[in-house]
């Protein structure tokens, strides 16, 4: 495991696990239009959307194509794709989504949640949920 810091942010790079590798390989297979054995520029953009939920910018796509392409191939081969996406995936903060959800619940920016905050949030996102279920989730 490698620890790297950039300014004030803190990130731990890790190895991808087998499930993540299989997901990356599956996305490659789905995006390899025409079963050419590589991903074209357009295929690669779609693959990034499928894996990370956003369309890469032109400059990010250029970098991925430069780092992923090898001589005699007009695109990114499977192993290069797994390597590139694995590095990108391992650099993601695994707690970011949890922080975003917590921040959405913490409307008073206290750094902790009271039962009323929890009830209010659930009322907005799941108004038909029984209060008993909300109380059980808060425990």
């Amino acid at each position: 495991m490698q620890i790297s810091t950039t300014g004030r942010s803190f990130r731990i790079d890790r190895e991808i696990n087998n499930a993540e590798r299989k997901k990356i390989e599956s996305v490659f297979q789905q995006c390899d239009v025409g079963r050419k054995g590589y991903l074209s520029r357009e295929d690669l953009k779609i693959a990034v959307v499928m894996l990370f939920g956003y369309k890469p910018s032109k400059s990010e796509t250029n970098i991925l194509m430069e780092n992923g392409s090898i001589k005699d191939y007009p695109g990114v081969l499977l192993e290069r794709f797994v390597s590139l996406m694995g590095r990108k995936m391992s650099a993601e903060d695994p707690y970011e989504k949890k922080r975003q959800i917590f921040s959405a619940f913490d409307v008073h920016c206290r750094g902790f949640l009271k039962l009323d905050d929890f009830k209010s949030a659930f009322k907005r996102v799941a108004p038909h949920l029984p209060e008993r279920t909300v109380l059980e989730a808060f425990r």
Side-chain angles (χ1 to χ4, degrees):
M1 212 176 259
Q2 179 182 12
I3 299 175
S4 58
T5 57
T6 310
R8 299 167 104 186
S9 66
F10 171 68
R11 183 180 94 208
I12 298 176
D13 290 339
R14 61 174 177 77
E15 294 292 320
I16 60 169
N17 61 39
N18 284 339
E20 291 167 325
R21 182 180 178 82
K22 286 185 190 305
K23 181 178 181 181
I24 293 169
E25 290 172 350
S26 172
V27 166
F28 180 93
Q29 299 304 327
Q30 293 172 54
C31 293
D32 179 11
V33 176
R35 302 288 178 248
K36 344 176 249 314
Y38 62 86
L39 297 182
S40 68
R41 181 179 195 81
E42 291 305 311
D43 299 339
L44 183 61
K45 287 186 215 177
I46 294 167
V48 171
V49 170
M50 289 176 70
L51 286 169
F52 300 102
Y54 74 92
K55 182 181 174 191
S57 67
K58 186 175 184 176
S59 63
E60 183 179 0
T61 305
N62 289 341
I63 291 168
L64 290 170
M65 288 299 291
E66 287 170 18
N67 291 328
S69 298
I70 59 171
K71 189 178 177 182
D72 299 329
Y73 282 93
V76 180
L77 297 172
L78 175 61
E79 281 309 310
R80 288 286 183 114
F81 179 71
V82 169
S83 175
L84 289 169
M85 296 302 109
R87 274 188 265 148
K88 189 171 180 53
M89 196 174 276
S90 70
E92 281 188 319
D93 182 351
Y95 300 107
E96 182 59 28
K97 287 181 183 171
K98 292 176 179 104
R99 273 194 288 279
Q100 288 175 353
I101 292 167
F102 179 87
S103 294
F105 279 47
D106 186 18
V107 293
H108 301 291
C109 301
R110 293 185 288 236
F112 61 88
L113 298 177
K114 290 185 174 185
L115 179 58
D116 290 338
D117 299 328
F118 208 69
K119 285 181 181 178
S120 174
F122 269 91
K123 233 175 231 175
R124 286 192 308 267
V125 298
H128 303 295
L129 200 62
E131 185 172 344
R132 182 175 138 219
T133 305
V134 175
L135 293 173
E136 288 174 7
F138 186 75
R139 286 188 206 164

